Amino acid sequence: MNEGTKGGRRRGVALLAVGLVLGSALSATPAAADFRERIGHIWKHVKAKADERYLRANAPLRPGNTLRGAWAISGNANEFQITAISFPISLPRPPAVHVVDEGDPPPAGCRGTPASPRASRGHLCVFVGERSENVLGDVGTYRPEDGGEGGSRRGLVLYANGGANPGTWEVTGTWAVTAAAP
């Protein structure tokens, strides 16, 4: 048997012995009670910090936090096509929606570029990065729940139309949404 194997076994036996001693000590009533009390006290402090830092299940995005993503729509001549932007975390309330076309300056509530989209609190900014020549008109939006204009707490639908020229068309971009106060 080589020295490496003997040393590994010794460490394993030592760890097992320490575990048995600690387990025995913690299962004894006075030691276990004191240990549980200390852990409970520590957890109160840690939990408060964890609740501030991490999102709780089904909680909306905290005000001031931003989500970002990318989107694409493509089709053939004379086709109407859609794509969805679905937020991985719902917002406290629906955002104001802005579509920033390629080369246009961002409106109030939007900053950045298609490469680095930014949105102010309560705004969703959809940046058009590239569009082929056969895209007819602007990219539009509607709410998935009822087809109304804009977006919802959970996302929105983007749509575009293909022109009459034969062949395929494509329009792509990015988006950013920043949660407002509820």
Side-chain angles (χ1 to χ4, degrees):
M1 188 177 288
N2 67 30
E3 283 301 311
T5 305
K6 285 182 187 178
R9 284 188 182 170
R10 285 183 189 146
R11 279 191 292 273
V13 170
L15 284 173
L16 181 60
V18 169
L20 287 172
V21 169
L22 281 175
S24 297
L26 292 177
S27 63
T29 307
D34 184 48
F35 181 74
R36 282 192 294 265
E37 185 178 307
R38 287 183 183 181
I39 291 298
H41 177 76
I42 292 169
W43 178 244
K44 285 180 189 175
H45 295 287
V46 171
K47 184 177 183 315
K49 296 286 185 192
D51 285 347
E52 287 175 16
R53 185 169 183 180
Y54 301 106
L55 184 66
R56 294 178 308 279
N58 299 322
L61 188 65
R62 289 193 180 98
N65 287 358
T66 301
L67 300 172
R68 291 180 180 85
W71 58 272
I73 308 173
S74 63
N76 292 311
N78 296 315
E79 281 185 344
F80 173 83
Q81 293 291 331
I82 64 171
T83 193
I85 291 176
S86 181
F87 306 142
I89 303 169
S90 65
L91 302 176
R93 67 176 196 221
V97 178
H98 311 279
V99 177
V100 184
D101 209 350
E102 185 180 24
D104 287 353
C110 297
R111 302 180 312 280
T113 64
S116 180
R118 296 176 185 217
S120 299
R121 282 184 182 218
H123 294 266
L124 167 62
C125 302
V126 178
F127 286 84
V128 176
E130 291 187 28
R131 69 169 54 230
S132 57
E133 290 182 20
N134 202 25
V135 176
L136 186 62
D138 294 330
V139 173
T141 67
Y142 64 86
R143 287 189 305 270
E145 296 90 2
D146 59 13
E149 283 187 34
S152 74
R153 295 179 51 232
R154 292 181 173 78
L156 79 157
V157 176
L158 297 172
Y159 64 87
N161 290 297
N165 295 335
T168 60
W169 57 268
E170 180 179 70
V171 58
T172 63
T174 58
W175 59 270
V177 62
T178 302

